[in-house]
Amino acid sequence: MESLEMSFLLGLASLFYTAMEITGILTALIAIRETRTPQGAVAWAISLATFPIIALPLYWIFGRSKFHGYVDAMRTGRAEFQRRIGDRHDVPPVTPLSERELPHQPRTVFETLAESPYLGGNDMQLLVNGPDTFKAIFDAVEKAEKYVLIQFYIVRDDDLGKQLGELLVRKARQGVHIRFLYDELGSYKTPAAYWDALHAAGVEAFPFHTTRGPGNRFQLNFRNHRKIVVVDGHTAFVGGHNVGTEYLGGKDNGYGGWRDTHARISGPAVLPIQVCFGKDWYWATSEVPDLDLSMPAKQGKAEVLALPTGPVDALENCSLMFIQAIASAKERFWIASPYFVPDTSVMKALQMAAMRGVDVRIMLPKRPDHLMVYMAGFACLKELVQPGIRVFRYVDGFLHQKVFLADNALAGVGTANLDNRSFRLNFEITMLVEDPDFCKDIETMFLDDFNHCVETGTNEFDGKNIFQQTVIRFARLLSPIL
């Protein structure tokens, strides 16, 4: 009897493994077809066929590079979406190449990626660190008369989160229409009571719903990493800050400080930021927000382009943006990022910039917040070795800003990091600014930040012990899903 039971169990186990193996092979074919990089496709195909029991759940949670449903939702609701946004917004079309006097300018690439042009007449304010950023945001929201759009990756129910919530409740009760998007993974620790209090006051707060749509049910890979605030359609804020007291930079925040950057935009460039928010809102709620999509009045002289990127892009728009920005530099390219796990094409662009005499400086944190990403960065720096590339480690707290400066002609401030997640998996937004005064402000900020750094170099890996080097190499292998 026991023999029969054992035979039955063995047969059942054999049948289960055979089913898993067949499913693994079929999934490997999907991975080969859909994975964006050849290295990733090979790695997934081998693991799915060899270790299906382990690899299958990992692939369906972390492995896919396409966010299914977002574009389809836009197409399904096209008539309504176009009626509210497409036909009524004043964003001018991108000038065709054949009609451009200078088609080889870097802005041509950026405009093609964004599917909208640079817009002139903007007033830009650089907001350095949390206190200045949230004071500016709260002051602007306090003055709102019609509506406020808010989008953050992380929203905490701490002192800063409560301060924001109380402000939004008060404005909602004054009749201001508040729409609030948050990423459910980034904000998973925020209790339901926080959102319930907002809903009770009439604030429309929704998660982005990255698990919504066909093929997304089990994935945890895609995140909406954008940080956007828009007030009455004429003023916007974009940058690296989330809603949490650690972003205020106190020495007792567990990191010994926090270094981050935001930007305030007033003028025509606010319009495409609203369109970006409108698309995300439609995905999350199946409703088209009723917004003022007329062209905002000119407030200054800065030429600004809002460039949203994400896993729904036909091309890898985020990495292409960085490559073009690096390629545009003639004298200097300075960049600050909390994570440095770029793909090969971006690293080669940095190397070639150094080869043509560009002053290439990379500012990274001295201490990590995500250990595996931090460790993978040492391997990437070793691969980057090239005379003329300087690496600085920020020591006065955690460095979280996402900023770059090319010569004195182009500045970028936004949410995108130098890693695979921002390049291929996250929804991001970067403001590209052509304005000498704003670029000068960025330069001054960088020079001050360098004074809070130690210069190390690209060969930091060589100073690690064998155990650390092994962990670094392992982390580098995992970099596509970190």
Side-chain angles (χ1 to χ4, degrees):
M1 191 68 174
E2 291 180 2
S3 174
L4 287 174
E5 290 179 355
M6 182 61 69
S7 296
F8 175 76
L9 291 174
L10 288 173
L12 201 62
S14 177
L15 184 63
F16 172 75
Y17 186 81
T18 300
M20 291 291 288
E21 186 66 44
I22 292 172
T23 306
I25 291 171
L26 294 175
T27 305
L29 296 175
I30 295 173
I32 291 171
R33 189 184 68 179
E34 292 191 355
T35 304
R36 294 197 180 194
T37 64
Q39 299 91 335
V42 170
W44 278 118
I46 292 174
S47 59
L48 286 163
T50 308
F51 309 107
I53 294 176
I54 298 173
L56 270 171
L58 289 176
Y59 178 78
W60 288 109
I61 294 173
F62 297 111
R64 292 168 303 114
S65 60
K66 290 290 187 181
F67 186 70
H68 297 283
Y70 186 94
V71 175
D72 292 338
M74 295 302 106
R75 291 170 180 162
T76 300
R78 187 175 182 82
E80 178 66 6
F81 195 81
Q82 287 296 110
R83 185 181 74 80
R84 293 278 192 91
I85 291 181
D87 294 338
R88 285 176 48 201
H89 74 66
D90 290 342
V91 177
V94 176
T95 304
L97 284 175
S98 59
E99 299 177 15
R100 290 177 179 265
E101 294 183 6
L102 300 171
H104 302 298
Q105 283 186 324
R107 64 163 47 192
T108 303
V109 173
F110 298 138
E111 290 180 342
T112 301
L113 294 175
E115 297 182 346
S116 67
Y118 269 86
L119 297 173
N122 299 282
D123 179 65
M124 298 292 302
Q125 179 186 7
L126 186 64
L127 298 169
V128 179
N129 288 326
D132 286 348
T133 294
F134 285 104
K135 182 182 185 305
I137 290 174
F138 289 176
D139 286 349
V141 172
E142 193 70 70
K143 297 174 183 176
E145 298 177 354
K146 298 177 181 177
Y147 64 86
V148 177
L149 313 177
I150 301 180
Q151 184 172 10
F152 282 102
Y153 175 62
I154 295 173
V155 180
R156 301 199 192 282
D157 185 21
D158 56 15
D159 289 345
L160 182 63
K162 287 182 171 64
Q163 186 179 352
L164 174 63
E166 291 167 0
L167 173 60
L168 297 182
V169 166
R170 185 168 69 254
K171 295 305 294 185
R173 288 173 175 165
Q174 292 174 5
V176 176
H177 197 157
I178 312 290
R179 296 180 178 91
F180 196 156
L181 272 181
Y182 60 94
D183 186 271
E184 63 268 37
L185 292 173
S187 303
Y188 75 96
K189 292 183 179 180
T190 307
Y194 182 88
W195 307 113
D196 291 343
L198 294 180
H199 294 153
V203 175
E204 294 187 54
F206 290 93
F208 179 66
H209 286 313
T210 53
T211 56
R212 176 174 174 264
N216 297 322
R217 295 297 179 195
F218 304 105
Q219 68 79 30
L220 298 175
N221 221 9
F222 306 111
R223 323 276 171 82
N224 197 313
H225 197 239
R226 292 171 182 149
K227 295 96 173 171
I228 293 172
V229 176
V230 178
V231 176
D232 287 341
H234 57 66
T235 300
F237 300 85
V238 173
H241 290 89
N242 287 295
V243 180
T245 53
E246 69 267 34
Y247 290 85
L248 295 177
K251 297 295 183 180
D252 58 348
N253 66 357
Y255 298 94
W258 194 278
R259 177 70 192 87
D260 222 326
T261 299
H262 237 70
R264 178 191 58 77
I265 308 100
S266 296
V270 175
L271 181 52
I273 299 173
Q274 289 197 97
V275 173
C276 172
F277 180 94
K279 291 179 179 180
D280 286 350
W281 184 265
Y282 182 72
W283 165 261
T285 67
S286 298
E287 297 178 357
V288 178
D290 189 11
L291 307 175
D292 179 5
L293 297 175
S294 58
M295 183 65 73
K298 292 184 177 182
Q299 302 290 331
K301 57 184 179 60
E303 299 269 338
V304 181
L305 174 71
L307 178 51
T309 57
V312 300
D313 298 334
L315 302 174
E316 293 181 0
N317 288 3
C318 189
S319 60
L320 289 173
M321 173 194 71
F322 281 113
I323 291 168
Q324 181 57 57
I326 297 165
S328 72
K330 297 179 176 63
E331 298 176 0
R332 67 177 168 196
F333 185 81
W334 297 351
I335 187 164
S337 175
Y339 316 116
F340 186 78
V341 196
D343 56 24
T344 302
S345 57
V346 172
M347 288 199 290
K348 289 186 182 300
L350 290 168
Q351 288 173 320
M352 288 189 292
M355 289 178 190
R356 62 177 186 269
V358 174
D359 174 15
V360 177
R361 303 189 192 185
I362 303 168
M363 189 187 306
L364 304 170
K366 177 68 173 176
R367 59 186 303 179
D369 69 333
H370 296 295
L371 184 59
M372 292 300 285
V373 183
Y374 179 76
M375 298 300 282
F378 290 105
C380 292
L381 287 173
K382 181 174 176 60
E383 297 170 20
L384 187 63
V385 171
Q386 172 67 42
I389 296 179
R390 302 173 66 185
V391 177
F392 296 80
R393 293 283 182 180
Y394 189 82
V395 298
D396 194 14
F398 182 67
L399 178 79
H400 190 255
Q401 64 173 328
K402 307 93 166 48
V403 178
F404 65 78
L405 177 64
D407 300 333
N408 198 41
L410 174 67
V413 178
T415 69
N417 301 308
L418 276 173
D419 64 0
N420 178 73
R421 178 158 293 285
S422 284
F423 289 178
R424 299 184 177 91
L425 302 174
N426 285 349
F427 291 84
E428 309 280 8
I429 185 169
T430 302
M431 306 307 297
L432 300 174
V433 183
E434 294 183 359
D435 177 63
D437 292 337
F438 188 74
C439 288
K440 185 65 177 177
D441 290 341
I442 295 284
E443 177 190 35
T444 300
M445 180 182 72
F446 264 115
L447 290 172
D448 182 64
D449 286 339
F450 289 139
N451 290 330
H452 296 270
C453 293
V454 292
E455 186 169 357
T456 56
T458 57
N459 59 349
E460 293 175 304
F461 176 88
D462 297 334
K464 305 296 181 183
N465 60 45
I466 293 177
F467 174 76
Q468 290 173 322
Q469 290 183 354
T470 302
V471 174
I472 287 169
R473 290 298 190 189
F474 179 71
R476 180 71 172 107
L477 292 175
L478 293 178
S479 60
I481 62 172
L482 292 175

